[in-house]
Amino acid sequence: VLFVLIGTLLTAGCSKNPDEGGEIILDSVTSEAATEVTTAVESTSETETTTELCRLIALTAIPIMIGQTFYQISAAIDDIMYANIMKSIGTASDVISKTNGNYNSSYIMLINLPMGVASAMSSSMLPSVVASYAQGKINDIRSKIEATIKINMMIAIPSFIGLTMLGGPIIQLLFPRYNSAEGAMMLKIGAIAVVFYTMSTVTSSALQGIDRI
């Protein structure tokens, strides 16, 4: 019985088509080669995607960094230019120092309060605008931008009026060591910047959210 089984197995093995084994091996080699090619293509795609992403990040970040750098440098340049101009017309150094301190402390600090609110509102609006833009909901984008502008203007316009009309008493209350009359004049001239800065902050965030900046 054992020999019959062995003979049957050998006969069945010899009766197979000899090309079938070659086809199986060829199919295996072809499959492995295709897998390697697919892996190489995916790796190349991932590398290209990563490179493109890094390039986009750099193109977005570098202008912002340059702009912020010049924005910070401009304050120092303003101080130097102001001091040199005032010295050239014979103004005493202590007067220049007090006036500059009044500007950098009372004026800038009071102006930055409503501006900070506008920046926070614009930052909170950005993700929502991006989500609506990705879904193609143009009407939602418009309503969100309009709502943000309205809320910011409800803060910026009263702040502008309040700083213009009540700048002297506010400075006298919060910064008693500075010249309140001088600070009030600065606010009367420059408080309108609150409205323009608020509007520009909102519009910049909106343009960034819809990929137009």
Side-chain angles (χ1 to χ4, degrees):
V1 175
L2 180 61
F3 288 117
V4 171
L5 291 174
I6 294 173
T8 302
L9 292 174
L10 290 174
T11 303
C14 293
S15 63
K16 287 183 178 180
N17 189 353
D19 292 336
E20 291 180 357
E23 291 178 357
I24 294 172
I25 295 174
L26 180 60
D27 291 341
S28 177
V29 172
T30 304
S31 177
E32 292 178 358
T35 303
E36 292 178 358
V37 171
T38 303
T39 304
V41 170
E42 291 178 352
S43 177
T44 303
S45 300
E46 291 177 357
T47 303
E48 291 178 353
T49 303
T50 304
T51 304
E52 183 68 16
L53 181 61
C54 292
R55 188 180 71 85
L56 290 175
I57 292 174
L59 291 176
T60 304
I62 291 175
I64 296 174
M65 293 171 60
I66 294 174
Q68 288 296 318
T69 300
F70 281 106
Y71 177 77
Q72 298 297 328
I73 292 175
S74 64
I77 295 174
D78 288 342
D79 292 342
I80 295 172
M81 290 180 62
Y82 171 76
N84 291 334
I85 292 172
M86 297 302 288
K87 286 179 180 178
S88 66
I89 61 176
T91 307
S93 298
D94 58 339
V95 175
I96 297 173
S97 179
K98 289 179 181 179
T99 305
N100 206 6
N102 198 357
Y103 170 79
N104 289 324
S105 297
S106 59
Y107 172 79
I108 293 296
M109 188 173 293
L110 292 174
I111 289 293
N112 283 338
L113 289 176
M115 289 181 179
V117 176
S119 298
M121 292 290 295
S122 301
S123 299
S124 63
M125 175 195 70
L126 182 59
S128 179
V129 171
V130 172
S132 297
Y133 180 72
Q135 297 172 2
K137 298 179 180 178
I138 305 301
N139 292 329
D140 289 349
I141 295 174
R142 290 175 179 172
S143 62
K144 290 173 183 178
I145 294 173
E146 289 176 359
T148 306
I149 291 175
K150 288 179 181 178
I151 294 173
N152 278 337
M153 288 299 105
M154 289 174 61
I155 298 172
I157 294 176
S159 297
F160 157 63
I161 296 173
L163 292 174
T164 302
M165 304 299 295
L166 303 173
I170 292 173
I171 292 176
Q172 192 173 4
L173 176 65
L174 299 177
F175 308 97
R177 66 193 184 97
Y178 290 115
N179 187 344
S180 59
E182 185 179 60
M185 182 57 65
M186 293 180 184
L187 289 173
K188 286 180 181 179
I189 296 172
I192 189 63
V194 173
V195 178
F196 294 128
Y197 180 87
T198 300
M199 183 64 71
S200 67
T201 303
V202 175
T203 53
S204 296
S205 296
L207 291 173
Q208 185 178 358
I210 61 175
D211 197 21
R212 292 294 185 272
I213 190 172

